[in-house]
Amino acid sequence: MKNILVLISQGVEILEVSPFIDVFGWNMVVGKKDTLVTTCSFHDIINCTWNIKILPEINLKNTKLNLEIYDALVIPGGFGKAGFFNDMKTEEFQSIIQHFHNNNKIILGVCTGVISLGESGILKNKRATTYLLDNDRYFKQLSNYGAIPVREEIVIDDNIITSSAPKNALETAFILLEKLTSKENMENVKYNMGF
């Protein structure tokens, strides 16, 4: 069984969370049936950017999580005005990212979720992308983290996958499924989901 941890912050965009739940859920029905997604946060309730609430399966303030069992970490992005960047500045949040990095596990940042990877220090000398609009406000930050900014929608550098917008969440979910299972399995799940 491959375990995927989705680390969710306040102000997250639901479109950057739901593709991972759906794709890996579909894999459990029509695919290899060998992936499990766990959502976690430092809150009991996540208030998403667009007024939807998420109840994460695990509140990291109350539960000690065994990170060893997870094969991949997903960090969806969100809006600063909705409080998105507050969680990622904490030592606890950054230590989760660093654990996955130190153990050469897959780390996937979507849109502004990539900024948390930079804050944790793991993007140094890595090719990366993030949100490309809004006067390059986020994209310019990549250099501050020692990253090699790449103006592409999706960038893969070893075990780090970064993407630039909510629309990329679905595509990166399929990329992650392929990396954790196989291309044939990913194509089967994709087909059965109507793509």
Side-chain angles (χ1 to χ4, degrees):
M1 184 69 68
K2 299 289 185 179
N3 291 293
I4 301 98
L5 188 65
V6 180
L7 181 54
I8 306 170
S9 298
Q10 292 291 359
V12 74
E13 282 196 78
I14 194 68
L15 184 57
E16 297 182 21
V17 176
S18 62
F20 297 94
I21 308 300
D22 276 11
V23 166
F24 288 98
W26 274 85
N27 184 58
M28 293 300 287
V29 175
V30 300
K32 286 191 168 183
K33 300 174 178 60
D34 61 351
T35 54
L36 180 64
V37 172
T38 302
T39 57
C40 69
S41 179
F42 290 96
H43 309 277
D44 288 325
I45 298 172
I46 297 296
N47 297 303
C48 298
T49 296
W50 309 121
N51 201 29
I52 291 175
K53 297 190 183 317
I54 296 175
L55 303 175
E57 295 166 87
I58 297 173
N59 181 339
L60 297 169
K61 288 283 188 192
N62 306 326
T63 305
K64 176 93 169 121
L65 196 59
N66 178 9
L67 296 177
E68 299 299 326
I69 68 168
Y70 294 97
D71 301 285
L73 174 65
V74 175
I75 302 180
F79 276 64
K81 69 179 183 178
F84 175 73
F85 296 109
N86 297 337
D87 288 338
M88 72 176 211
K89 294 177 183 176
T90 67
E91 184 179 325
E92 297 90 354
F93 195 101
Q94 291 183 15
S95 70
I96 292 172
I97 297 170
Q98 290 163 353
H99 174 85
F100 277 80
H101 180 67
N102 293 341
N103 289 280
N104 295 314
K105 295 183 179 186
I106 299 169
I107 302 169
L108 195 156
V110 181
C111 195
T112 57
V114 174
I115 299 303
S116 66
L117 306 185
E119 289 284 330
S120 73
I122 70 162
L123 291 182
K124 189 169 179 148
N125 299 319
K126 295 285 187 182
R127 296 170 64 249
T129 193
T130 187
Y131 191 60
L132 298 172
L133 301 173
D134 198 15
N135 297 316
D136 280 346
R137 177 166 60 137
Y138 297 107
F139 188 72
K140 288 175 184 174
Q141 290 182 46
L142 293 176
S143 294
N144 298 336
Y145 302 127
I148 303 163
V150 178
R151 190 172 292 285
E152 293 177 9
E153 290 187 356
I154 297 172
V155 174
I156 301 172
D157 192 323
D158 293 327
N159 65 323
I160 299 175
I161 303 168
T162 55
S163 65
S164 64
K167 80 169 199 164
N168 304 122
L170 185 59
E171 188 176 352
T172 56
F174 285 126
I175 289 170
L176 183 57
L177 179 62
E178 180 177 342
K179 284 184 168 293
L180 293 176
T181 62
S182 69
K183 183 176 175 88
E184 179 183 26
N185 181 65
M186 180 274 291
E187 292 291 350
N188 178 52
V189 170
K190 201 172 188 180
Y191 172 79
N192 277 279
M193 289 181 73
F195 293 98

